[in-house]
Amino acid sequence: MSLIKKTPVNKSTKQSTKQSTNSDINNLITDNIDVWTSAIKKRNAVGRGSSKKIELTGIKKLRELILELAVRGKLVPQNDNDEPASVLLEKIAEEKTQLIADKKIKKPKSLPMITDELKSFDLPNGWEWCHLQDVSSYIQRGKGPKYDDSGRVRVISQKCIQLSGFTVEPARSVSDESLEKYQEERFLQSRDLLWNSTGTGTVGRINLIDYIEEKSLVADSHVTVIRTMFLDAGFIKSFISAPGVQRRIQPGYNNSLVSGSTNQVELNTSSVISLEVPIPPLAEQHRIVTKVDELMALCDQLEQQTEESLSAHQTLVEVMLATLMPSTSKSAEGSCDSAVPVEESFQTSWQRIAEHFDLLFTTEQSIEQLKQTILQLAVMGKLVPQNPSDEPASVLLEKIAEEKAQLITDKVISKPKKLVEITDEDKAFRAPKGWAWVRLDPLFNVIVDCPHSTAKFQDSGHLCIDTNSFKQGQLHKHKFRFVSQETFDKRNARLIPRPKDIVFAREGSVGESVVIPNGIDCCLGQRVMLFRPSELLDAEFLRLTISNKGALNKLLSMHKGIGAKHVNVRDMRAFSVCLPPEKEQNRIIIKVDELMALCEQLKARLSDAQTTQLHLADAVVENAIN
């Protein structure tokens, strides 16, 4: 796809990081901008950088690379004149000894020496390994608070510690009366580090408090407070935020820092105090933190520009596809409000899209929108040419009426209620020649709601089709659910579904539908309706008429109540659609199947290209670090 550029890795990224200079690192970042901004995948969960359905994975990897290079001493040049970290650690040790003697802090637990096996990488000259406890005056989980509606001190919880930064907005107040139970050291101080210590999805996030008023905040028991000594706390934050530590915030990982299961993980204080951290000279710490902040700001800009570009691209797709749709309602015999004839305007719009096809349909969202447009065009008679020799829909409707009258006479179905005549307001577009506007009720022998009781599911038995069972006209066997013979019989007491019936989601994922294929023995689950079309009609075409985006927008606009959007049987019986000749129905379905297959090929090519970009981003990171 033309919007996904495959940029070769710069030769400098293949050099060992030990030989990389500061200039090499800058080139690594700037020379591979296309790699970082093009590596995109579907989002599994909400995180930093976007609340949308995609994740800017390349920029996420760039952030991780910056942090990893920073804490390995590869982001800024070393200065031989810097006072080495060993001297800094001696000063900290002396200060801690005095604080213990003055009973201002407790004597720390004795920890084993850091062996070579625990050192995750080689340190530059002047750096030292130590335990986090060695460079901290206070490491402790917060206290379970007694909340109050108001108070002079607020409680920092996990909600305050976000990937995007620290915020006190979600913080509640602690009871003033309970503050006497808080020792002096429990009140948070400026430059404290706050590390989320419980909960899947939240554990591991860390923030640095830049400045706060004295005795204004405390932490709750789900947050670990780290108060460093004589260090730039921003460097410790970078180290804990880097992939080397964050990978250990998961159960089962080698040398994991957490305990518990994947559903409830716990970062124990013992793991925090014994964490092995690299300590650079203090002057270098400041340089590293400054550089990290500078490069993270660059990442923020890249994210914003990329998201704006994707948003603009999607808007362009929407606008271009919208030009294929009629702007006003038109009667079967009426003319367009525009001075340009409908067919000429449509052909011009389609030609414009065709000329820029490779630029427009380069994201999964744009391809999905193309599919929806195809389905709308199908039911408007825009996909295949009309054949004057086809028997018109008006004759087909007469045959259907005769068939239905006989079924009523034979007491197979009930006599339907009389519906009002279709007006121009009911017609969403001008009917092609040979087509006819008609309400749904005459086209179906049965339109019925599902049983209102909740089905009791079991591991095996009879298939019960509910809204989880199908999507975009396809049954999803991996989501099938089953009921017992007794439940099956009860749910089928009113109507037994059979092949060529249409099952339609009336609530939840409204509009999703599927035609029951041959060989399926089933009953109806919850939140669905069943449509049984005339034998003279193509069930798949009728499914498209009630499931395309235009139909759904109109159906859902009828919903006036509160709660989840839904449609009912009465709405569906009275809903108006445009019916083509019988032979044209068949041609339309063949063309739709052909175009849907092409769209799936587009998605497959896109997925392959995205995978390539992700692998390329991984390769750049791997080469830079190793």
Side-chain angles (χ1 to χ4, degrees), residues 412-530:
V412 176
I413 62 175
S414 302
K415 185 177 181 179
K417 293 181 180 180
K418 189 174 181 179
L419 298 171
V420 297
E421 293 293 326
I422 292 179
T423 65
D424 286 349
E425 287 70 27
D426 294 317
K427 302 172 182 177
F429 55 88
R430 187 171 63 181
K433 189 173 182 180
W435 291 42
W437 281 97
V438 61
R439 298 198 185 277
L440 284 181
D441 196 47
L443 303 179
F444 292 94
N445 295 328
V446 176
I447 300 178
V448 65
D449 206 348
C450 64
H452 289 175
S453 60
T454 302
K456 185 177 180 180
F457 297 108
Q458 57 187 40
D459 293 338
S460 61
H462 291 279
L463 173 61
C464 184
I465 294 184
D466 59 11
T467 53
N468 294 309
S469 305
F470 54 89
K471 188 174 183 180
Q472 296 184 353
Q474 301 294 322
L475 286 171
H476 287 193
K477 293 184 178 181
H478 64 286
K479 292 191 175 181
F480 278 0
R481 300 203 281 186
F482 304 93
V483 296
S484 66
Q485 181 69 53
E486 181 183 2
T487 302
F488 182 79
D489 293 337
K490 286 181 179 179
R491 299 189 77 81
N492 279 348
R494 180 170 47 166
L495 181 74
I496 300 175
R498 65 191 190 195
K500 295 187 179 179
D501 284 351
I502 301 170
V503 181
F504 179 89
R506 63 165 176 79
E507 189 178 335
S509 52
V510 178
E512 290 289 357
S513 59
V514 68
V515 176
I516 298 178
N518 292 322
I520 292 289
D521 185 26
C522 65
C523 62
L524 297 183
Q526 291 299 101
R527 302 187 297 176
V528 297
M529 290 168 36
L530 183 139

Side-chain angles (χ1 to χ4, degrees), residues 132 177 295 300 419:
L132 186 55
E177 292 76 16
L295 294 176
D300 290 339
L419 298 171

Side-chain angles (χ1 to χ4, degrees), residues 548-589:
N548 71 82
K549 187 176 180 181
L552 293 179
N553 288 342
K554 187 173 181 181
L555 281 167
L556 292 176
S557 69
M558 300 176 184
H559 180 78
K560 304 299 182 183
I562 59 175
K565 292 282 189 180
H566 66 274
V567 295
N568 55 45
V569 170
R570 183 179 59 185
D571 293 336
M572 299 306 295
R573 289 183 186 278
F575 190 69
S576 56
V577 297
C578 200
L579 185 70
E582 182 178 2
K583 291 183 178 180
E584 189 169 347
Q585 292 176 41
N586 299 331
R587 295 197 301 272
I588 289 171
I589 292 303

Side-chain angles (χ1 to χ4, degrees), residues 141-361:
R141 290 274 283 269
K143 184 182 179 70
K146 182 179 179 181
Y147 288 111
D148 201 348
D149 291 337
S150 61
R152 65 178 185 270
V153 176
R154 299 175 75 178
V155 182
I156 298 305
S157 66
Q158 292 171 306
K159 293 180 180 179
C160 301
I161 302 167
Q162 299 292 328
L163 291 172
S164 56
F166 177 74
T167 174
V168 297
E169 187 175 341
R172 299 168 60 188
S173 297
V174 65
S175 166
D176 286 344
E177 292 76 16
S178 67
L179 290 176
E180 62 184 22
K181 297 180 180 180
Y182 283 81
Q183 297 93 341
E184 186 79 14
E185 63 268 19
R186 284 196 176 274
F187 291 93
L188 301 184
Q189 301 177 12
S190 298
R191 308 300 290 175
D192 276 354
L193 291 161
L194 305 178
W195 199 359
N196 279 354
S197 299
T198 63
T200 302
T202 56
V203 65
R205 293 199 303 241
I206 185 167
N207 283 169
L208 171 64
I209 302 178
D210 192 27
Y211 170 79
I212 58 171
E213 294 182 6
E214 187 176 354
K215 290 190 174 182
S216 63
L217 299 176
V218 293
D220 75 7
S221 58
H222 300 288
V223 175
T224 298
V225 181
I226 303 169
R227 192 166 294 149
T228 60
M229 301 176 64
F230 301 164
L231 299 181
D232 191 322
F235 176 81
I236 302 299
K237 175 180 178 291
S238 293
F239 175 70
I240 293 175
S241 300
V245 173
Q246 289 298 309
R247 280 193 295 267
R248 297 170 64 187
I249 310 292
Q250 49 186 306
Y253 190 85
N254 184 35
N255 201 21
S256 175
L257 294 172
V258 298
S259 59
S261 65
T262 53
N263 293 326
Q264 184 58 46
V265 294
E266 189 90 8
L267 176 62
N268 298 314
T269 304
S270 58
S271 296
V272 178
I273 64 175
S274 60
L275 179 66
E276 307 87 8
V277 295
I279 303 298
L282 183 58
E284 189 173 347
Q285 291 178 39
H286 295 324
R287 294 197 300 273
I288 290 171
V289 171
T290 299
K291 191 64 175 180
V292 167
D293 289 344
E294 173 191 326
L295 294 176
M296 288 301 172
L298 171 62
C299 290
D300 290 339
Q301 293 175 20
L302 287 177
E303 278 182 347
Q304 181 179 355
Q305 292 169 5
T306 303
E307 289 188 337
E308 287 175 353
S309 176
L310 290 170
S311 177
H313 171 261
Q314 187 57 32
T315 299
L316 175 63
V317 170
E318 292 171 0
V319 170
M320 296 287 278
L321 291 176
T323 62
L324 300 173
M325 299 294 118
S327 58
T328 59
S329 295
K330 306 166 183 69
S331 69
E333 291 77 26
S335 61
C336 285
D337 296 337
S338 169
V340 181
V342 176
E343 194 59 34
E344 182 180 334
S345 175
F346 174 83
Q347 292 297 338
T348 300
S349 298
W350 179 250
Q351 184 61 35
R352 188 182 304 118
I353 291 172
E355 289 173 356
H356 303 287
F357 197 87
D358 286 343
L359 290 175
L360 290 172
F361 303 108

